[in-house]
Amino acid sequence: MFANITVAVDGSEHGWRALAVACDLAKRYEAKIHIVHVPEVPQPTMAVGMMAVDIPVDMTQIMAAGQSILSEAVTLAREHDVEPGSQIVQTGIPSELIIHVAESTNSDLIVTGRRGMGSVASLLLGSTSQKVAHDAPCACLTVK
C-alpha cells in the first residue's frame, strides 16, 4: 500500500508520535521513510514602540539545532527497527518543503504531527499540517 513515507518532525511531542506512527506503517508495508525537519527561523526584526529593532539571526546555530532534532529522529526510527531512506534539514516554508520532499521521494503518504498554535493564530495563519493536507499530491496522516 505504501512504498515511501515522508514524515515531518519538529521536536514536539506530536512530531515524535507522528514519527512512531510512520515507523509502524513503514514496517507493516515494508516502506522507506524519509524524515524532514524545517527549523523555525525567527523574524530578523522586532517592533518596539514606534521603532523596528534588528535582531541578529545565527543560521549556524539554527541549523545545528535542526541537525540535533533530526539526529534524535533518526535514533528513534532505528529504535523502531526502521532505517531512514533520507534525512533532510532545510530552512524555508515548512509546508512547501515537506511537500517537495514527498514529491522528490515519490512518497505516497505524508505523516505530520498536529500542533495547536492557539485559536486566533491558527485561524489567521493556518497550520503546517493543514497546508500540507490541502496541497499534498498524496495521502496525508495527521497524528495527535
Side-chain angles (χ1 to χ4, degrees):
M1 177 172 264
F2 300 116
N4 286 287
I5 299 169
T6 293
V7 58
V9 296
D10 60 3
S12 71
E13 195 58 40
H14 291 275
W16 298 134
R17 283 196 290 267
L19 177 61
V21 168
C23 288
D24 181 61
L25 290 169
K27 284 181 8 183
R28 184 174 311 240
Y29 294 106
E30 298 179 3
K32 289 183 182 176
I33 65 167
H34 306 279
I35 303 173
V36 60
H37 173 62
V38 184
E40 187 174 337
V41 178
Q43 293 295 323
T45 307
M46 180 175 76
V48 178
M50 301 281 292
M51 297 176 44
V53 177
D54 288 333
I55 301 170
V57 176
D58 185 348
M59 288 306 292
T60 304
Q61 186 178 17
I62 289 169
M63 290 304 288
Q67 286 292 344
S68 177
I69 288 172
L70 185 66
S71 179
E72 187 174 349
V74 169
T75 298
L76 290 171
R78 289 177 178 154
E79 288 174 2
H80 284 91
D81 297 321
V82 174
E83 184 62 34
S86 59
Q87 310 158 31
I88 297 106
V89 174
Q90 190 174 343
T91 59
I93 299 170
S95 59
E96 290 178 9
L97 288 170
I98 293 164
I99 290 169
H100 174 73
V101 169
E103 290 172 338
S104 67
T105 59
N106 294 317
S107 289
D108 22 43
L109 178 66
I110 299 172
V111 182
T112 59
R114 190 180 106 196
R115 230 173 105 186
M117 290 174 48
S119 59
V120 174
S122 64
L123 283 173
L124 295 175
L125 301 174
S127 72
T128 296
S129 58
Q130 287 172 326
K131 289 176 185 173
V132 168
H134 183 266
D135 296 335
C138 60
C140 296
L141 174 61
T142 305
V143 178
K144 184 173 182 182

